[in-house]
Amino acid sequence: MFNRTTLVILCVALAGGLGLLVAQKYFASSGSIATPQLEVVQLYPAPRDLPDFALQQSDGTQLLPGELAGHWTLVFIGFTHCPDVCPMTLTHLAQAQRQWEALPEATRPRVLFVSVDPERDTPERLGDYAHAFHRDTLAATADIPSLERFARSLSMVFAKVPLDRDAPDGAYTVDHSASLAVLDPQGRMAGVVSGSALNAETPRPEAVAADLLRLTAEHRP
């Protein structure tokens, strides 16, 4: 049975998806935007700037907006205690990452995994977890207010949810969006990859890789 928090997250995700679909149909019919043929990446009619943010990376340095410039970046929020969606998504993303490893580091697409569970996910633990899937994955976290602002700017949500009464005292999980935000080489919110593209019964990491390779080739900074 869904709890109230999960229902809210699903409603927000559905509303965001419907808004993207309406916008795509409107701009496509008006002929005002030209986009490359993509399989799973859904680009917005126009990218939007993100508000300033500061995340703590696993190597101890700060991740600021300028650090993402020059690359197409996939952003995924989650947590290291996640039982299924997070490890599955990072596994499939690692398959995609291996397909663009030959690109120059200066333009190679990036994957950024942001933990929304700073209570348990120290930067060191987070780095060990993310790099076990692929060495190039960026890993970062922050305090809850900063994470809420960052997630909201990407049209994502998360919430701490206590486990049922049979669990140990204080035990909890974190409900969170399963989609991926797509940032362009200017660090702007440019689109999304729905969670179903990587977490369905037939995942499509090859399509994610192909789309990012195409975007890198056609939309350089």
Side-chain angles (χ1 to χ4, degrees):
M1 179 180 296
F2 289 118
N3 57 42
R4 183 175 180 181
T5 303
T6 301
L7 183 59
V8 169
I9 287 178
L10 291 174
C11 290
V12 171
L14 179 60
L18 289 174
L20 174 61
L21 180 61
V22 170
Q24 286 178 323
K25 287 185 178 297
Y26 172 78
F27 281 90
S29 63
S30 66
S32 61
I33 185 170
T35 59
Q37 293 297 315
L38 302 172
E39 297 184 62
V40 293
V41 171
Q42 299 172 301
L43 292 179
Y44 293 138
R48 68 171 187 263
D49 292 328
L50 298 181
D52 288 341
F53 61 84
L55 306 177
Q56 187 74 19
Q57 296 193 87
S58 59
D59 64 1
T61 63
Q62 279 198 317
L63 180 67
L64 304 173
E67 301 292 325
L68 300 177
H71 304 260
W72 285 89
T73 304
L74 297 175
V75 185
F76 176 61
I77 66 171
F79 61 116
T80 66
H81 288 76
C82 181
D84 40 38
V85 173
C86 297
M88 183 184 302
T89 299
L90 289 171
T91 295
H92 294 151
L93 283 173
Q95 295 174 26
Q97 287 172 279
R98 286 192 283 273
Q99 296 186 47
W100 62 62
E101 285 178 341
L103 292 180
E105 196 282 330
T107 58
R108 188 184 307 154
R110 290 175 166 177
V111 170
L112 169 61
F113 178 60
V114 178
S115 171
V116 290
D117 184 16
E119 182 177 337
R120 295 181 293 192
D121 289 345
T122 63
E124 181 180 6
R125 174 185 173 85
L126 180 59
D128 290 343
Y129 179 82
H131 297 154
F133 294 94
H134 195 283
R135 65 181 183 276
D136 290 343
T137 300
L138 301 176
T141 189
D143 56 63
I144 291 296
S146 297
L147 289 169
E148 288 176 338
R149 288 192 297 271
F150 181 70
R152 189 164 53 249
S153 74
L154 302 178
S155 300
M156 295 181 179
V157 290
F158 67 90
K160 181 178 178 179
V161 180
L163 295 179
D164 59 43
R165 67 185 66 183
D166 295 330
D169 289 343
Y172 66 90
T173 187
V174 181
D175 289 347
H176 60 88
S177 301
S179 59
L180 282 68
V182 180
L183 307 186
D184 69 10
Q186 288 73 44
R188 301 172 300 183
M189 179 70 173
V192 297
V193 178
S194 69
S196 61
L198 287 173
N199 297 317
E201 292 182 6
T202 306
R204 305 183 66 190
E206 296 83 3
V208 172
D211 283 358
L212 268 293
L213 288 168
R214 189 172 295 114
L215 288 168
T216 299
E218 297 185 16
H219 295 260
R220 298 183 184 279

